[in-house]
Amino acid sequence: MPGRREQLWVQDLGQRHFRLQSIPFFVYGIGPGDEFVLDEAGHVVECDRHGQKHVVRVAFDRDVANDVHEPLHGQLGDLDLAHEWHGSGYVAMSLDQRALPEPLRDVIAPHLSAGTAFTEVATDRPAS
């Protein structure tokens, strides 16, 4: 989204080093726990260290978003997974692995098969 910005929550580690504390919705290639160096204007100069978390996003068509929101929200709570919602049909999750845990797959899979949901791993990074 050219020209658009997203507010991210960070922990100040000192000397312009910061650790990402939030789950990004629209920024690719970063995830919770990643550490950055910022310039004086607040722009990322480099990523010092990638954390161990992956950001997995799921977007549901508007026709099914309200119906799936509560069951999925319940599963996320039961699994104690960090997550952020953008409306009722778009969720970003912080996961230890790239794959969705089985209880989430059970809720999401029928919508993926029907073409009414789409997933992406937003933390795909080059191998280091």
Side-chain angles (χ1 to χ4, degrees), residues 3 26 93 106:
F26 303 110
M93 300 165 278
D106 292 345

Side-chain angles (χ1 to χ4, degrees), residues 45-114:
V45 175
E46 64 181 295
C47 181
D48 270 355
R49 184 180 74 81
H50 286 294
Q52 300 301 309
K53 297 291 185 177
H54 294 278
V55 176
V56 176
R57 299 182 186 124
V58 182
F60 294 92
D61 283 354
R62 292 173 198 236
D63 296 343
V64 300
N66 288 333
D67 293 335
V68 76
H69 180 89
E70 287 304 318
L72 182 56
H73 201 274
Q75 286 294 340
L76 289 164
D78 290 347
L79 294 168
D80 198 29
L81 291 176
H83 61 283
E84 300 275 347
W85 287 92
H86 183 69
S88 62
Y90 191 29
V91 63
M93 300 165 278
S94 176
L95 303 175
D96 292 331
Q97 56 194 17
R98 293 171 43 98
L100 293 170
E102 189 171 338
L104 295 180
R105 284 193 307 264
D106 292 345
V107 174
I108 297 168
H111 298 284
L112 293 172
S113 297

